[in-house]
C-alpha cells in the first residue's frame, strides 16, 4: 500500500501497468565501484576434461557445444553493450577472471564459484538433462534446476528466480544459478528466469509472467508441484518477484491461478505492497547505497501491521548485491528463506 492509500483504488490491470512503469523508472544507476578485484590463483584455461577455469574466456564458455541454444545467457553479456551474437573478438577473449566487471551492481563476486556453477550446468547438459526452456521472445527463457528427474519421483514445490542487474543485464551467474542450487539442496525445484532488458522493466515483467504460466501449465510434464510455489529475486529481480506476487498472472493476459505461496526478496528498495500480498521473506544490508534499509524497514512494518507473515533478516554492515553472502554477515540467508517458505506452505 502506498503512503496515500491509492493502491486500494487501482484495478488489477491498472496496477499491472503501474507496476511495469515503476519498475522501469525505479531502476538504479550502477554503483561506480561496486565490485571487488580479481584476487586468486590463475588456473589456466580449461583442463583436459573440458572444464572451465578462471582463465577460460567468454568465447570458450558461450560457444561450448554443451550450451548450444543458450550459451549467450549463462553470463551477463548485456553489460558489454550488445547481444552475444554481435560480440567482437576482443570481448570473446575476455577471461572469466574479469567476471566482476560484468556485474557492476554486485559485490562479493566469486570467480571460482562461478566456474563450479558453469561446470555443473555443463555436466547436466552433457548428461541429457533438460536445462533450458525457451520462451516466446528472443532473449527470454528458463533454466531448469529440478530436485530430481528420475521417473516416478513425487513432485516437489518450485521457485521461480529472477536475478538483478538494474534492468540492463541479468546477473544469474551470481544470484540466479547459485540460488537455484541452494534451493535444490533444500528439496525445492527451481527455475531461473532469463528476461529481456531491451525494454526495461516492462519486458522483464512480461517474461516473468510468461515463465510462471508455462511452469504452471506444464507442471505434470515438468514433475513440479504447482501448489504453494514461491517467487524469488534480488535487487531488480526482487522488484519483479514482489510485483508478480502482488498482482498475479491475470493482468498479463493469463488465466487467474491465484497468488504465490511466498515471495522471497533480497536487497531491493521496492516499497509497494497490497494487503493480500503473499507471505514475504526479506533480507537487507544496512550499508546498501542503492536500496536504503529504511525503505525495507518501513515496508516490513506496514505489511506486518495488516497481518501479512513477514520474516525480515536485517544484516548490519553489508552492501548491495551480495548474492549468497558467503563470507559475509548475510551468509546462510537463503536457507532461512527456504525454511520460511516451507513453514508457510505447511500452514496453507
Amino acid at each position: 500500500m502506498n503512503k496515500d492509500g491509492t493502491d486500494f483504488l487501482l484495478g488489477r490491470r491498472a496496477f499491472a501497468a503501474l507496476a511495469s512503469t515503476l519498475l522501469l523508472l525505479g531502476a538504479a544507476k550502477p554503483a561506480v565501484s561496486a565490485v571487488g578485484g580479481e584476487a586468486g590463483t590463475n588456473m589456466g584455461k580449461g583442463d583436459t576434461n573440458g572444464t572451465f577455469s578462471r582463465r577460460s574466456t567468454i568465447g570458450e564458455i558461450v560457444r561450448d557445444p554443451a550450451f548450444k541454444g543458450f550459451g549467450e545467457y549463462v553470463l551477463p553479456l548485456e553489460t558489454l553493450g550488445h547481444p552475444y551474437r554481435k560480440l567482437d573478438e576482443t570481448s570473446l577473449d575476455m577471461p572469466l577472471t574479469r567476471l566482476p566487471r560484468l556485474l557492476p551492481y554486485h559485490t562479493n563476486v566469486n570467480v571460482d564459484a562461478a566456474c563450479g556453477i558453469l561446470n555443473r550446468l555443463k555436466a547436466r547438459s552433457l548428461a541429457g538433462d533438460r536445462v533450458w526452456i525457451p520462451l516466446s521472445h528472443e532473449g527470454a527463457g528458463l533454466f531448469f534446476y529440478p530436485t530430481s528427474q528420475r521417473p516416478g519421483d513425487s513432485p516437489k514445490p518450485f521457485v521461480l528466480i529472477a536475478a538483478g542487474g538494474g534492468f540492463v543485464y541479468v546477473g544469474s551467474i551470481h544470484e540466479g544459478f547459485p540460488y537455484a542450487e541452494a534451493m535444490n539442496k533444500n528439496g525445492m525445484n527451481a527455475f531461473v528466469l532469463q528476461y529481456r532488458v531491451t525494454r526495461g522493466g516492462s519486458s522483464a515483467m512480461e517474461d516473468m509472467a510468461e515463465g510462471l504460466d508455462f511452469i504452471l501449465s506444464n507442471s505434470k510434464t515438468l514433475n513440479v508441484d504447482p501448489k504453494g510455489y514461491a517467487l524469488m529475486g534480488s535487487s531488480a529481480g526482487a522488484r519483479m518477484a514482489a510485483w508478480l506476487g502482488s498482482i498475479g498472472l491475470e493482468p498479463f493476459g493469463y488465466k487467474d491461478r491465484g497468488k504465490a505461496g511466498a515471495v522471497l526478496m533480497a536487497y531491493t528498495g521496492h516499497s509497494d505492497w497490497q494487503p493480500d500480498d503473499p507471505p514475504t521473506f526479506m533480507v537487507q544490508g544496512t550499508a546498501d547505497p542503492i536500496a536504503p534499509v529504511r525503505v525495507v524497514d518501513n515496508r516490513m512494518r506496514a505489511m506486518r501491521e495488516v497481518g501479512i507473515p513477514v520474516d525480515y533478516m536485517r544484516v548490519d554492515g553489508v552492501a548491495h548485491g551480495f548474492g549468497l553472502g558467503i563470507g559475509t554477515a548475510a551468509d546462510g540467508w537463503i536457507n532461512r528463506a527456504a525454511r520460511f517458505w516451507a513453514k508457510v506452505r505447511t500452514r496453507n
Side-chain angles (χ1 to χ4, degrees):
M1 179 173 61
N2 289 331
K3 291 180 180 179
D4 60 4
T6 54
D7 281 357
F8 285 112
L9 304 177
L10 293 174
R12 293 289 186 179
R13 295 184 185 277
F15 198 81
L18 177 61
S20 295
T21 301
L22 290 176
L23 281 167
L24 181 57
L25 295 177
K29 300 296 183 184
V32 174
S33 58
V35 297
E38 299 170 2
T41 304
N42 295 331
M43 299 170 59
K45 293 192 175 182
D47 63 24
T48 55
N49 294 320
T51 55
F52 303 121
S53 74
R54 295 173 61 87
R55 285 297 178 183
S56 295
T57 66
I58 288 177
E60 290 172 334
I61 294 167
V62 301
R63 290 172 170 170
D64 194 290
F67 294 162
K68 185 177 180 180
F70 59 88
E72 61 265 45
Y73 308 129
V74 298
L75 296 172
L77 301 185
E78 299 94 342
T79 310
L80 298 175
H82 35 64
Y84 153 71
R85 57 185 173 278
K86 295 181 181 177
L87 287 178
D88 57 32
E89 290 303 318
T90 300
S91 298
L92 291 171
D93 286 341
M94 182 186 296
L96 198 62
T97 51
R98 297 185 181 179
L99 176 63
R101 299 183 183 182
L102 300 182
L103 294 153
Y105 286 117
H106 294 89
T107 57
N108 204 41
V109 178
N110 188 312
V111 175
D112 292 325
C115 290
I117 289 165
L118 292 169
N119 285 326
R120 288 188 290 276
L121 187 64
K122 178 177 178 177
R124 287 186 53 219
S125 180
L126 291 174
D129 289 354
R130 186 181 189 182
V131 300
W132 171 249
I133 302 169
L135 297 176
S136 62
H137 293 96
E138 183 178 5
L142 299 167
F143 287 92
F144 185 23
Y145 279 79
T147 55
S148 173
Q149 290 187 327
R150 295 178 300 182
D153 284 350
S154 60
K156 299 294 191 300
F158 77 87
V159 56
L160 175 58
I161 302 167
F167 300 114
V168 294
Y169 67 90
V170 184
S172 295
I173 189 66
H174 181 59
E175 56 188 24
F177 306 146
Y179 293 5
E181 291 185 344
M183 284 298 177
N184 281 174
K185 292 177 181 178
N186 279 279
M188 315 296 189
N189 295 294
F191 296 85
V192 179
L193 176 70
Q194 171 66 31
Y195 55 87
R196 292 168 293 155
V197 297
T198 53
R199 290 175 53 207
S202 177
S203 59
M205 286 298 298
E206 292 170 3
D207 294 337
M208 191 171 197
E210 181 186 353
L212 177 58
D213 181 75
F214 177 89
I215 298 167
L216 294 172
S217 299
N218 295 276
S219 59
K220 290 185 178 180
T221 301
L222 296 167
N223 196 34
V224 302
D225 186 350
K227 300 185 296 294
Y229 65 87
L231 300 171
M232 183 178 193
S234 291
S235 194
R239 289 177 177 267
M240 295 165 62
W243 276 118
L244 194 56
S246 286
I247 64 179
L249 285 172
E250 190 177 12
F252 296 94
Y254 299 104
K255 177 182 176 182
D256 182 12
R257 299 175 182 271
K259 292 196 173 186
V263 173
L264 314 175
M265 305 170 63
Y267 44 86
T268 181
H270 181 77
S271 59
D272 293 274
W273 56 277
Q274 291 202 95
D276 61 345
D277 270 3
T280 300
F281 172 90
M282 296 183 284
V283 59
Q284 181 67 32
T286 61
D288 192 328
I290 296 177
V293 69
R294 67 179 182 279
V295 175
V296 188
D297 292 347
N298 292 337
R299 185 173 187 265
M300 175 272 296
R301 284 191 291 267
M303 294 175 74
R304 283 182 174 171
E305 284 177 2
V306 298
I308 300 172
V310 176
D311 184 7
Y312 180 30
M313 184 174 174
R314 195 177 194 270
V315 188
D316 290 337
V318 179
H320 192 79
F322 49 78
L324 289 177
I326 295 173
T328 76
D331 197 349
W333 74 264
I334 197 163
N335 293 325
R336 176 168 163 176
R339 291 193 297 270
F340 171 79
W341 175 25
K343 184 177 181 179
V344 296
R345 285 189 78 253
T346 301
R347 289 178 179 174
N348 297 329

